[in-house]
Amino acid sequence: MDIDFSEINYLVDPCSRTLHADYQQFLLSLIGLTVIDINGENSDEWRVISTLLHGDEPSGLIALHRWLTTENSLPRPKTNIRLIISSVEAATYQHLFQHRYLPDGIDLNRCFNEKTIRESKDAKNKNIDGYIERAKLIACAIREVNPKAIIDLHNTSGNGPAFAVSTLITPSVLSITSYFCDTLILSDINIGAMMELDFSCPVVTIECGGSSDDQAHEVAYQGIKNFAQCDSHCALPQDKAVQILYKPLRLVIKTGRKLSFSEHDEGYSGVTLRKNIEQFNYGGCCDGLLLGWLDDKGLDNIEMLNDQGVNVVAQYFKMLDNKLVCATSLKIFMASNQTNIARSDCLFYVVNNINNHL
Ligand SMILES: [Zn+2]
């Protein structure tokens, strides 16, 4: 599919005809990367809401469309708001919201660090220049308005509760988080995501929950409403308590190892995770909990690097007979039984038991 990566479409205070009757028609009317500016009470100040960096994560777009169309006239936020809708082509390719990126493409939210993505194994034989160009255009569109706060709306690949991710913790970050959910993950993972760039303001990624979960769309909508209406003179007021989880690690399957999902031990080679692995996104995992099964290569099938690049998988997991079990109390995030996501991104994120950080 040919995409013009150099193009941005701008809309300012769109009318109801441009917004169409529903989000599906609206999305289908867009051509590529789209920036929508909404005028606010204080027109000297800006906030940014980004969505659809991943084409199969609809909550942000659904919620934005609802926010824009719920009254007879456009909402009037406290400040100007720039909305950025990124992967329109992927989101509309062969049915809506089925593709994170186009089949011959690459994950746009890994392209904000040009060096890392060019060196990555995922980039091999892919035309990554266009995706890097789009990432640059998005970063430019953000810098252009010098925003005071940025939120980036996503869905988790599996089902799970909403949570926020940021690279730093400030009162504003906690406040923004509290509009959407009650858990904030402080991350120092460098994967080339937009939130890793320095925009001289808080950037909070919101994982609203599963992509087909109505509750996730509701989380996004309520959060956008609050974010648009909050005062920015002093530190943003914090709505409710937010729990902070520190520095998740990514559990990955090594290249070339087979990944399966099953309810039972099937004796498959490589790694077999429990089919219902997503249920562990809710709540904690205790020492001894069964997560799946491993072949005779054992823990050598998987890897979890700490911030020094040391593989610490054996501190968190162990093999009993051929069972993969937790070796300590921990919390997992973003576990999914979609093989392609689990394989290309990670099996799931891990943090130490939440009780240590309450
Ligand atoms: Zn995403």
Side-chain angles (χ1 to χ4, degrees), residues 1 3 23-34 51-62 84-103 106 108 131 134 153 155 211:
M1 185 173 175
I3 302 184
Y23 67 85
Q24 292 98 330
Q25 289 180 51
F26 172 60
L27 178 62
L28 287 166
S29 75
L30 302 179
I31 306 158
L33 175 59
T34 302
T51 194
L52 275 187
L53 277 173
H54 293 139
D56 57 351
E57 299 178 5
S59 282
L61 182 94
I62 292 172
I84 302 180
I85 304 171
S86 295
S87 299
V88 170
E89 300 89 343
T92 53
Y93 180 72
Q94 290 185 354
H95 309 297
L96 295 186
F97 306 120
Q98 296 303 306
H99 297 266
R100 189 175 173 96
Y101 46 88
L102 291 170
I106 191 161
L108 179 60
Y131 288 80
R134 177 159 293 181
L153 299 169
N155 287 102
S211 56

Side-chain angles (χ1 to χ4, degrees), residues 174-204:
L174 289 170
S175 295
I176 294 168
T177 299
S178 74
Y179 299 139
F180 293 88
C181 56
D182 57 12
T183 306
L184 171 67
I185 296 180
L186 176 67
S187 167
D188 58 356
I189 292 172
N190 286 305
I191 49 176
M194 191 190 85
M195 68 162 197
E196 295 159 27
L197 295 183
D198 182 4
F199 293 105
S200 308
C201 73
V203 186
V204 185

